[in-house]
Amino acid sequence: MSGYPQGSGYPYGAPPANPYGSAPPQSYGAAPPQPYGAAPPQPYGAAPSQPHGYGAPQPSAPYSKPEKPGKTQGVGYEHPPPTAGYGTSSPFAALLPSQFPPGTDPSLVACFQMADLDGSGLIDDKELQRALSSYNQSFSLRTVHLLMYLFTSSNIRKIGPKEFTSLFYSLQNWRAIFERFDRDRSGKIDASELREALLSLGYAVSPVVLDLLLTKYDKSSGKFKAIEYDNFIECCLTVKGLTDKFKEKDTMYTGSATFTYESFMLTVLPFLIA
């Protein structure tokens, strides 16, 4: 096959009356009228006064509504069906067994089976890293962890055949996108190219967010304002993952959502601890 196939913290029990510690006489200037994390009169994340949220050119949300079930949502971003063994909504749920989809490339099956040394039907993070490297897809363990989290909805850092197949074909599409926008064939994409690449995937980020992404994923710590392919994948995974989690709360697709404190932490932390 050439190229790629297609009193000090929470006790174990009921939380204290005030889960964030005793309220000071005056918190941040004035004591809030309701618990931290509750929806304030003007919900956190509500649409700002300007007409376009997230710097998007459209008047609605900075992302599009999902297609009907079964259709691909942007190039390479296909949401797994809820019954396909991707665990529960908890990011720490156990991964259920899965099978290769019908018609999976035999070489991809062989690649997974070679990585699955114990024949358990699941491969761990280092085994996945080696499997991807055999197809010239070299990633850091952090990127591998993000890939596993996004395609399994769990943090157990194991992945089965169905998830492995979806992950691999998505990487193939993401590489094609990177190469399309790396017009000078430098092996890097700059700010304008990254913005276009994210737009092609359905994500319109503001200039401020774009600059933060470049600073985070530029291996020169922001000196050259350009990112290479492996960091481009991690960047896309982060934007996709956080946007998907946000959209779960933004049921009307307005660009605004209200989170409880715990749901906010469970949304963000998996991306920080990957």
Side-chain angles (χ1 to χ4, degrees):
M1 182 180 70
S2 69
Y4 323 109
Q6 311 282 335
S8 56
Y10 296 157
Y12 290 100
N18 184 347
Y20 306 102
S22 301
Q26 190 174 33
S27 177
Y28 294 95
Q34 47 201 341
Y36 180 76
Q42 175 68 27
Y44 183 79
S49 56
Q50 64 265 31
H52 307 322
Y54 292 87
Q58 63 271 30
S60 57
Y63 41 76
S64 57
K65 292 185 179 181
E67 300 285 347
K68 293 181 180 180
K71 290 188 177 181
T72 300
Q73 301 184 23
V75 179
Y77 289 129
E78 193 168 298
H79 285 286
T83 59
Y86 285 81
T88 67
S89 58
S90 169
F92 304 99
L95 181 66
L96 301 177
S98 64
Q99 300 293 327
F100 283 102
T104 301
D105 191 305
S107 63
L108 190 55
V109 176
C111 179
F112 181 90
Q113 292 173 341
M114 288 181 63
D116 182 18
L117 298 178
D118 60 1
S120 65
L122 296 171
I123 59 176
D124 63 23
D125 50 355
K126 292 181 180 179
E127 291 170 334
L128 176 60
Q129 187 183 43
R130 287 195 296 270
L132 295 176
S133 295
S134 68
Y135 282 94
N136 196 30
Q137 300 259 33
S138 299
F139 301 114
S140 68
L141 273 178
R142 171 175 166 78
T143 303
V144 170
H145 292 161
L146 283 173
L147 282 165
M148 298 180 91
Y149 173 65
L150 262 295
F151 283 89
T152 66
S153 295
S154 79
N155 276 332
I156 66 169
R157 294 180 179 174
K158 288 184 180 292
I159 196 166
K162 185 179 183 69
E163 299 81 14
F164 175 77
T165 303
S166 296
L167 181 157
F168 213 100
Y169 286 139
S170 292
L171 282 175
Q172 182 180 5
N173 288 333
W174 289 331
R175 179 180 280 276
I177 289 171
F178 181 87
E179 292 177 352
R180 171 157 46 111
F181 290 100
D182 178 22
R183 298 185 179 94
D184 60 359
R185 297 295 182 265
S186 64
K188 300 178 182 179
I189 56 176
D190 60 22
S192 61
E193 292 168 338
L194 176 60
R195 180 179 179 277
E196 290 182 57
L198 291 175
L199 279 173
S200 74
L201 295 168
Y203 305 117
V205 299
S206 69
V208 174
V209 173
L210 188 69
D211 187 65
L212 286 172
L213 291 172
L214 282 165
T215 301
K216 166 65 177 175
Y217 296 110
D218 177 5
K219 292 180 179 179
S220 67
S221 300
K223 180 179 178 181
F224 298 115
K225 294 293 183 181
I227 60 177
E228 298 177 20
Y229 171 68
D230 53 347
N231 281 15
F232 169 75
I233 293 298
E234 186 174 330
C235 175
C236 287
L237 288 170
T238 301
V239 173
K240 168 186 164 52
L242 290 174
T243 302
D244 287 349
K245 293 295 183 182
F246 188 90
K247 287 165 69 175
E248 291 175 6
K249 300 292 184 181
D250 181 19
T251 56
M252 301 300 292
Y253 298 95
T254 62
S256 302
T258 300
F259 284 77
T260 64
Y261 179 72
E262 183 176 4
S263 64
F264 170 77
M265 295 294 280
L266 289 176
T267 295
V268 175
L269 282 177
F271 294 90
L272 299 180
I273 64 177

